[in-house]
Amino acid sequence: MDNIINDFTLNIATANGTGSQSANLILLQTISDMGVNVSGKNLFPSNISGLPTWYIIRASDAGYQAPGNRTHIQVLMNKATWEADIEACEPGTVIIYNTDVKLPVERDDCLVLPVPMTKMARGIHPKLARMIANIIYVGVLAHLLNLDDDAILSALNKQFKGKQKAIELNSTALALGRDFAAENFGEERGPYRVEAREIEEGSFMIEGNEAIALGAIYGGITTLAWYPITPSSSVAEGIIDWLPKLRHDEDGKTTCAVIQAEDELSAVGMIIGTGFAGGRGMTATSGPGISLMSEFIGLAYFAEIPCVVWDVNRTGPSTGLPTRTQQGDLSMLYEASHGDTQFPVLIPGNMEECFEFSWRAFDIAERLQTLVFGFSDLDLGMNKWKCSGFTYPDTPMDRGKVLHTQKEIDAIENHGRYRDVDGDGICYRTLPGSGIDPILYRGTGKDEDGTYSEKPEIYHANMERLKRKIDNSRTWLPQPILREEVELEIGIIYYGSMENMIQEIDDILESTGMKVSQCRIRSLPLSPIAEKFVRDHETTIILEVNRDGQMYGILRKELPIELVPRVHSCAFSDGMPPRAIIYAKKIMDVLRKVGATTEVLA
């Protein structure tokens, strides 16, 4: 059988809390350090240690990053899912299993490779055998896949970061696993191999949440107020970890306040206070936290106070599936709180954008004098992805329309806190402590001077102004990225983490003879470019990871009425990272229903 190079999916079934994540990340880092395109998906439980967890590694020279259509190599470590994991294996799967679990693997149509992992680990360190056993399977896979020795040892050293005893124990386990596989499996080790490719200079692996954290620091964050919630907690933890290295004064004191609030409501209140005072405040949360913040979010909108909230979306509603992924919060963010509200929403699709949008969010919030949402998800936020490098701020911070002196105020005819003198919907503000007479920020009805008012015409004019300033941002917020075909027949609109599977979808559809253009939305409100994309294509499909087609609903609301019949929803969510084949088939189903194609995917 010919070897299959850099094209396989590896599934590792273990239990939460056994140390398997370190082993899995060593594998991921090793393959990446060999210059191969690779992605990892951590499927972990939302409650207690000991429950099942899976880690999926996809190696692909084509650059595909979504979970594959099938598992090629299955590692079995967990008796709780043993039978189900075996049953899910297709014929030809390479199954590596821990014989010390004392359960059978009865698959004559698979290549079954037994390894006494726990016994071998006990020989190294009896008390830590349960954890060291995971490194045994790393060693076995190192032999089966032809992983580079230097790369895997480098990854092991990175993972344990100078903890010499841990490095020594795990290096021993690694060698033991590799030697066992070499002695016992010989030529019968399956066809899958990793072959080194040219390494992209400056590239590295990073989680989206850490990229957001770094971006916030470079964006000038002065207050981080947060309350822990999966899957956003590591955004705050990342900021806390990096602050001592990147943000301190001459005396070594951190130049950013970090406050763990008693709940999400308190956290957003603190960052609104920061924005009022002239600082740059940010919090990170998920859907349930946004729900709790609702009234304060409305205050930031109506009083016009800048701040930033990152929503790392998990699967809802309610508690839902806290450790699974979704794009189900989009419409909630866009029109958060009650009454007529509308917020800028920044939607990164890769690590570079997680960093860039994080620092730009502060500039946008102060320019527009409003709360800005960043919208990520668990898949993008808590998994490691390849990054080619960051775009750092290269211009001074955009502080927006801020008046610092009485002379500046006097230069504006009839200045008032809520008076739009430039016609762009954005008013001039002052900051406490500047020596200027203070202006009261109101969450109630007010006139242009900030004086309380319930007059209908004043309320109406104020609300129209607020809408105008958000509408004006459509052309300068992060604009859509287009990849258009000459034919301009079928277009796909998508957003966020779906960037990491769109090329595979495109290739699947192209194999049927279709030519499909792509438009990735990177912010709300919608850019005119999105409208033109719909206008230019006969049929447009909206892909998203939720049940109800939330971006589809936004498009239907904002597109000219004559374009609405051209857009069609293709929404799907089961909590899992999206798989390309599922969406490709659903796209074909939609196209057949609207009469755009008769092709059928097997």
Side-chain angles (χ1 to χ4, degrees):
M1 180 184 295
D2 293 336
N3 289 338
I4 298 171
I5 307 299
N6 300 342
D7 185 16
F8 60 84
T9 297
L10 164 64
N11 187 316
I12 303 167
T14 60
N16 195 35
T18 62
S20 60
Q21 182 70 343
S22 293
N24 301 334
L25 291 177
I26 289 169
L27 281 168
L28 185 75
Q29 188 68 54
T30 299
I31 297 172
S32 177
D33 288 349
M34 291 177 67
V36 177
N37 285 302
V38 65
S39 63
K41 309 289 187 184
N42 187 23
L43 307 179
F44 59 101
S46 60
N47 34 32
I48 60 173
S49 176
L51 292 182
T53 181
W54 295 265
Y55 197 80
I56 303 171
I57 292 176
R58 176 91 180 269
S60 169
D61 270 342
Y64 300 153
Q65 299 183 79
N69 303 331
R70 57 157 292 185
T71 295
H72 301 95
I73 307 169
Q74 176 69 61
V75 176
L76 299 175
M77 300 290 288
N78 187 4
K79 66 173 62 179
T81 62
W82 195 269
E83 292 183 4
D85 290 330
I86 293 171
E87 185 178 351
C89 292
E90 294 187 15
T93 302
V94 178
I95 301 176
I96 304 159
Y97 76 100
N98 185 1
T99 58
D100 298 313
V101 174
K102 306 298 184 185
L103 289 174
V105 178
E106 297 174 350
R107 287 293 299 265
D108 295 335
D109 57 350
C110 296
L111 177 58
V112 179
L113 306 177
V115 184
M117 300 182 199
T118 307
K119 181 180 179 181
M120 294 165 69
R122 286 197 190 104
I124 300 171
H125 197 298
K127 291 184 179 180
L128 299 177
R130 192 181 187 202
M131 293 186 175
I132 294 174
N134 298 306
I135 302 297
I136 299 291
Y137 69 66
V138 174
V140 172
L141 286 164
H143 172 71
L144 299 182
L145 299 175
N146 277 357
L147 299 183
D148 180 77
D149 287 338
D150 291 339
I152 200 165
L153 288 173
S154 172
L156 189 147
N157 276 273
K158 286 179 186 177
Q159 184 62 35
F160 295 107
K161 296 179 181 177
K163 297 176 182 176
Q164 195 56 38
K165 188 173 181 179
I167 291 172
E168 290 173 1
L169 284 173
N170 287 286
S171 296
T172 300
L174 179 66
L176 200 61
R178 186 192 281 273
D179 291 345
F180 180 91
E183 292 170 8
N184 290 275
F185 302 141
E187 295 302 317
E188 292 187 3
R189 55 178 177 147
Y192 305 104
R193 304 287 185 270
V194 174
E195 189 174 279
R197 297 289 184 252
E198 184 177 350
I199 298 173
E200 181 182 344
E201 186 175 352
S203 66
F204 53 92
M205 299 286 283
I206 190 170
E207 292 181 1
N209 282 356
E210 186 171 15
I212 291 169
L214 285 164
I217 293 173
Y218 279 90
I221 183 174
T222 57
T223 300
L224 167 67
W226 68 297
Y227 184 79
I229 180 173
T230 302
S232 73
S233 295
S234 55
V235 173
E237 292 162 355
I239 292 174
I240 294 166
D241 288 345
W242 280 104
L243 281 175
K245 303 179 184 69
L246 299 176
R247 286 286 301 279
H248 54 79
D249 60 20
E250 294 178 356
D251 297 325
K253 294 181 180 179
T254 300
T255 57
C256 174
V258 178
I259 308 163
Q260 184 172 326
E262 61 265 36
D263 54 32
E264 291 90 346
L265 181 60
S266 299
V268 75
M270 292 173 187
I271 66 167
I272 290 172
T274 299
F276 167 76
R280 292 190 155 190
M282 188 189 100
T283 189
T285 188
S286 194
I290 300 293
S291 300
L292 291 173
M293 296 176 182
S294 182
E295 186 171 359
F296 259 148
I297 288 171
L299 172 65
Y301 177 82
F302 201 44
E304 298 180 73
I305 301 174
C307 55
V308 175
V309 177
W310 275 92
D311 175 7
V312 186
N313 202 160
R314 68 193 208 180
T315 304
S318 188
T319 303
L321 304 176
T323 58
R324 296 291 185 263
T325 197
Q326 196 178 59
Q327 294 177 330
D329 294 348
L330 184 69
S331 57
M332 176 174 68
L333 299 185
Y334 192 33
E335 298 179 351
S337 195
H338 52 275
D340 290 324
T341 57
Q342 190 177 33
F343 294 90
V345 183
L346 308 183
I347 315 172
N350 52 46
M351 298 301 97
E352 292 84 353
E353 290 176 352
C354 283
F355 177 84
E356 182 182 350
F357 289 9
S358 185
W359 66 258
R360 288 194 187 279
F362 292 106
D363 283 356
I364 295 166
E366 293 204 284
R367 180 173 174 178
L368 290 174
Q369 297 178 26
T370 193
L371 185 152
V372 170
F373 284 110
F375 182 52
S376 179
D377 58 45
L378 184 146
D379 187 23
L380 201 66
M382 291 192 71
N383 288 316
K384 283 185 177 287
W385 303 86
K386 183 180 178 182
C387 179
S388 299
F390 293 146
T391 299
Y392 294 91
D394 56 1
T395 57
M397 294 179 185
D398 186 346
R399 305 309 304 270
K401 294 183 177 181
V402 180
L403 303 175
H404 299 281
T405 66
Q406 188 62 47
K407 183 178 180 181
E408 290 176 314
I409 292 179
D410 294 340
I412 298 174
E413 184 178 354
N414 196 22
H415 169 262
R417 170 64 187 100
Y418 296 107
R419 182 167 286 113
D420 176 15
V421 299
D422 298 327
D424 60 1
I426 305 170
C427 309
Y428 287 88
R429 66 182 178 124
T430 60
L431 302 178
S434 60
I436 303 171
D437 290 341
I439 293 176
L440 179 65
Y441 282 65
R442 289 186 179 274
T444 58
K446 65 268 186 181
D447 64 16
E448 292 177 316
D449 293 313
T451 303
Y452 182 77
S453 172
E454 295 185 2
K455 292 182 178 180
E457 64 275 14
I458 289 177
Y459 171 80
H460 175 76
N462 191 38
M463 293 300 292
E464 290 299 302
R465 176 183 63 79
L466 289 172
K467 183 169 180 58
R468 185 166 66 252
K469 77 172 183 179
I470 301 299
D471 278 344
N472 287 343
S473 71
R474 293 177 186 272
T475 57
W476 57 263
L477 288 174
Q479 295 296 289
I481 291 179
L482 303 182
R483 304 178 183 103
E484 291 187 301
E485 297 287 348
V486 175
E487 291 81 0
L488 296 179
E489 293 179 358
I490 299 170
I492 294 177
I493 289 178
Y494 63 101
Y495 57 97
S497 59
M498 293 197 78
E499 166 69 8
N500 298 300
M501 59 174 280
I502 194 65
Q503 190 54 50
E504 187 172 5
I505 291 175
D506 187 82
D507 289 348
I508 293 171
L509 296 176
E510 191 171 288
S511 70
T512 71
M514 295 174 57
K515 296 290 185 180
V516 178
S517 299
Q518 303 170 19
C519 171
R520 176 159 67 90
I521 302 295
R522 300 197 298 161
S523 66
L524 295 174
L526 287 169
S527 163
I529 292 173
E531 177 184 327
K532 184 177 184 302
F533 182 84
V534 174
R535 191 177 296 278
D536 288 346
H537 291 79
E538 296 176 16
T539 304
T540 300
I541 307 293
I542 318 300
L543 294 186
E544 46 195 320
V545 190
N546 54 57
R547 184 192 68 182
D548 295 333
Q550 295 181 20
M551 181 66 81
Y552 169 68
I554 291 168
L555 280 158
R556 284 175 59 87
K557 183 185 291 186
E558 299 195 0
L559 286 173
I561 190 66
E562 70 271 14
L563 295 183
V564 170
R566 295 192 184 189
V567 296
H568 306 275
S569 178
C570 183
F572 176 78
S573 173
D574 61 0
M576 296 289 287
R579 284 86 77 203
I581 191 64
I582 290 178
Y583 280 91
K585 288 181 176 179
K586 287 186 174 296
I587 290 168
M588 296 297 289
D589 288 343
V590 171
L591 292 175
R592 281 194 294 272
K593 287 178 182 177
V594 302
T597 183
T598 58
E599 295 288 345
V600 178
L601 274 177

